[in-house]
Amino acid sequence: MHGEPYFNKHKLNKHDFNKEPYLITAEKIKVACQHFTTTGEKEVRILCKQDTREKRPNVFIEKELFLLPIKNGEYKIIKGEGYVDIPDIESDIEEYESKLPFVLETTKIGNSEMQHLDHAYAVSLIQSFMEDEFLVLTIRGRKYTPKFEFNVGNFRITTKSVQTEVDSGYEGKDKVVLVEAKNSKSTNTIIRQLYYPYRQWQAHTKKKVSLLFFEKRGDHYYIWEFQFFDENNYNSIKIKKSACYVIVNKERHGGKNEKNTM
């Protein structure tokens, strides 16, 4: 989002963000940005996509602000920490032996987040990391949140019917696992991508909701498990555990392991 045109048009430099967040709407964003030349620059969904600290407009960075959707077509500009760090995994890389008796070939075509996550699930890496061999893929695609309230710093936020999307969701006997996947190195991510689906699925199940951040870099699969220690506190997110793997396929005729090089 180009924050400067909106800030200038609505005189937000005079707003006291220490006192309260500021409500903005999709309609007002369109008006403020109508002079932009390309369709992508004018599309509200793209303008408001600030998935990392670095993708915020300069005025947001300078004033320590971030953006949260609160309902369809409405957002709040909030002062505070909207992001969580994705730390380097310093433990040794673990060799993980695929549970399949054959090597997958179709997952080697392309380079999408979804296919890497599907591959990790197919060889039971996700199940192994979560210590639940019976996890079943049950969630995928866009959903809308129920109404819920939460705290961000000293502010109380209410949200309803915000669109969420997880890359994959799995259900076991006593847990639901939601995954946000990337196919490149991330240093931070907006907490909303984990928190909104977490609150959404908590409302639909009594099972424990677990949250994974997943990355594929080269031959290595990185997994971080996050958790919220206070479900009503957006900033209570912490890392529970993490690991880095390389997947190997055992040759049935030779008895030796072969690295997966997709």
Side-chain angles (χ1 to χ4, degrees):
M1 174 182 176
H2 295 272
E4 288 80 1
Y6 195 95
F7 260 69
N8 294 335
K9 183 175 180 62
H10 295 280
K11 301 178 181 178
L12 291 193
N13 284 314
K14 296 182 179 180
H15 182 78
D16 186 357
F17 287 99
N18 290 309
K19 184 177 180 180
E20 62 181 353
Y22 184 87
L23 176 67
I24 64 175
T25 66
E27 291 184 0
K28 289 183 178 181
I29 293 172
K30 288 180 181 178
V31 172
C33 300
Q34 62 182 342
H35 63 285
F36 291 164
T37 57
T38 66
T39 302
E41 288 181 320
K42 296 179 181 180
E43 188 175 341
V44 174
R45 179 184 62 83
I46 296 176
L47 290 170
C48 294
K49 187 175 175 62
Q50 303 175 11
D51 291 345
T52 66
R53 294 188 183 101
E54 296 75 20
K55 289 184 178 179
R56 294 175 297 167
N58 289 335
V59 67
F60 276 50
I61 295 174
E62 292 167 3
K63 295 180 177 292
E64 300 177 341
L65 306 174
F66 70 101
L67 197 66
L68 281 182
I70 60 166
K71 64 184 299 186
N72 187 27
E74 293 185 5
Y75 305 81
K76 281 195 173 180
I77 304 175
I78 303 169
K79 184 168 185 177
E81 178 56 271
Y83 301 83
V84 62
D85 292 328
I86 307 297
D88 291 332
I89 296 177
E90 297 180 353
S91 58
D92 293 338
I93 298 172
E94 301 179 36
E95 280 200 351
Y96 175 81
E97 184 179 322
S98 170
K99 296 296 189 292
L100 296 176
F102 58 90
V103 176
L104 292 172
E105 295 182 352
T106 55
T107 56
K108 299 177 183 179
I109 308 303
N111 183 31
S112 71
E113 299 159 355
M114 193 72 71
Q115 75 182 74
H116 299 320
L117 182 55
D118 284 347
H119 181 85
Y121 174 71
V123 301
S124 295
L125 176 59
I126 300 297
Q127 298 91 315
S128 178
F129 180 84
M130 291 304 302
E131 300 178 356
D132 187 339
E133 63 179 309
F134 297 112
L135 288 179
V136 177
L137 176 63
T138 57
I139 302 170
R140 186 163 273 175
R142 297 171 181 174
K143 303 286 190 297
Y144 289 86
T145 63
K147 180 179 180 180
F148 62 89
E149 297 182 352
F150 58 98
N151 295 325
V152 178
N154 296 321
F155 306 121
R156 189 70 172 173
I157 305 296
T158 300
T159 184
K160 180 181 180 181
S161 195
V162 172
Q163 181 177 285
T164 65
E165 185 172 7
V166 295
D167 291 300
S168 286
Y170 311 99
E171 183 173 353
K173 181 179 180 180
D174 57 5
K175 66 169 70 74
V176 171
V177 181
L178 308 177
V179 187
E180 176 67 24
K182 306 292 181 184
N183 62 357
S184 61
K185 179 177 173 58
S186 303
T187 58
N188 66 85
T189 189
I190 192 162
I191 298 170
R192 171 187 54 78
Q193 287 189 325
L194 298 170
Y195 186 69
Y196 278 28
Y198 167 71
R199 289 297 302 268
Q200 175 183 13
W201 288 102
Q202 269 205 326
H204 297 304
T205 181
K206 293 182 179 179
K207 298 180 180 181
K208 175 181 172 58
V209 178
S210 299
L211 304 162
L212 300 186
F213 193 86
F214 172 96
E215 285 185 357
K216 168 74 160 43
R217 305 180 212 155
D219 294 336
H220 296 158
Y221 294 76
Y222 296 79
I223 308 176
W224 296 261
E225 181 180 2
F226 286 91
Q227 63 182 119
F228 290 93
F229 288 91
D230 179 352
E231 67 178 44
N232 295 307
N233 186 343
Y234 179 91
N235 295 115
S236 68
I237 188 169
K238 302 290 182 183
I239 289 181
K240 183 177 181 181
K241 65 176 181 176
S242 62
C244 176
Y245 302 92
V246 60
I247 297 175
V248 295
N249 299 284
K250 189 172 182 180
E251 295 181 357
R252 297 306 169 188
H253 58 279
K256 59 181 181 180
N257 286 348
E258 176 185 83
K259 283 188 179 180
N260 181 290
T261 57
M262 63 169 286

